[in-house]
Amino acid sequence: MESRFKVSPRLRLVLLVFVFGTVLWEPNIVLAEQSGDGAIEGMAELCSVDLRAFLPPPYGTLENTVCRPVWNTHLLRYSQTNDHVVTIVLSAIYTTGWVGIGFSKDGMMINSSAMVGWIGEGGHARIKQYYVGGFNSSEIIQDKGELPLTSVPPYVGTQGATIYLAFQLKFAARLKTQPILLAFSSRLPRYHHHSHRHLLTHHDDKTTILFDFSKGTIGSFAMSKDSGSAGRIRRTHGILSMLGWGLILPYGAIVARYLRHRDPLWFYLHTVIQFMGFIIAVAAVVVGVSLYGTLNAHFPAHRGIGIFALVLSILQVLAFFLRPSKDSKNRRYWNWYHHWVGRIALFFGAVNIVLGIHAGEAGNGWKITYGFLLGIALVLCSALEALAMLRRSETSANHPAFQMDPVESSVQKL
């Protein structure tokens, strides 16, 4: 009996990879989005450009102006008066398309208000305020938003290869720390003749920074957005989802597929791992429901797929308790159902992790972490599949198709 439970080198490899992935898995969500600090420092010299030569007043004649490189080729100039009037001039290298700067309460693109400027066909300059109600173009509404613009008309224009967006805001109190969204696209907005509005094309790139208008400093929004209550819930939901659906449940399925020759050890391992992953996945859903209500978010695809994957996982648990005996004629149908429902649940769980990273506008740390987990699982499956094929071929070679009749063999021995 003891030889049946002897751990083989292949099993030790699987357990080592599982423990290794569990210990090292820690998403680095506080990574700064702004790489290339040397390039940003090189942009600082452009702050000496004299704006009076091409910007109309009051944008070209600002006093006590603060100028800071904020992202890529983007420079942010601003001035704040004692009566809380903030004048902003955003500049960036420009060829075509649009450039935008948005203000958000929580740093998310959804429910933010943005000023977007571009130079259209024929050299017509346009700057509009947009309210971002969703990810689709139809949900980004022109001439709407919550920015408290003053009576001074906004301005957009180019000087050389640089575009300048200028506008003025009047706040009830002094503007201090504020999440700022920066984005650009190389494609011009599409003019919709029926509504007489310009629909924004999808951005080529975007970022979110935490800008302190009282000090002129830039902070990491990735660190800030996870420091509050909603941020902690978001972080917990992401960790539980990735741990359950991205690590534990896939490895439980790997054990069931590639360690069946270690019966009944594979069954106990598979059962324990999957139940542990199921509990974590349920906890992730509970935290996600709380997060959904806290943020008043609207991500129907992420929410719907999450519920669907949860239902499939519950069916798997019920099927475990209702499984027929090995001798039952219905066992083959139960096996077919159990295998394919599990695979479908894991597939949609993986898809939903990607959707969640996108919807939450998570940093590169989350993407790298899940990419690492997914890559390890795929490499491990490939290696174990190759070993399984090799083992089957060896077994087939050791059992010839034509064997000696045992009766005849016993006669020869006599």
Side-chain angles (χ1 to χ4, degrees), residues 280-328:
I280 294 177
V282 171
V285 172
V286 173
V287 175
V289 171
S290 175
L291 178 64
Y292 215 80
T294 301
L295 297 179
N296 194 24
H298 182 66
F299 303 113
H302 180 63
R303 185 182 188 184
I305 292 177
I307 294 174
F308 179 66
L310 176 65
V311 170
L312 292 181
S313 63
I314 293 175
L315 292 176
Q316 288 290 80
V317 173
L318 294 177
F320 171 79
F321 292 104
L322 298 176
R323 69 188 187 282
S325 63
K326 292 183 178 180
D327 299 330
S328 173

Side-chain angles (χ1 to χ4, degrees), residues 202-213:
H202 193 272
H203 55 262
D204 293 350
D205 199 3
K206 66 178 180 65
T207 191
T208 303
I209 63 174
L210 196 66
F211 196 84
D212 190 341
F213 283 88

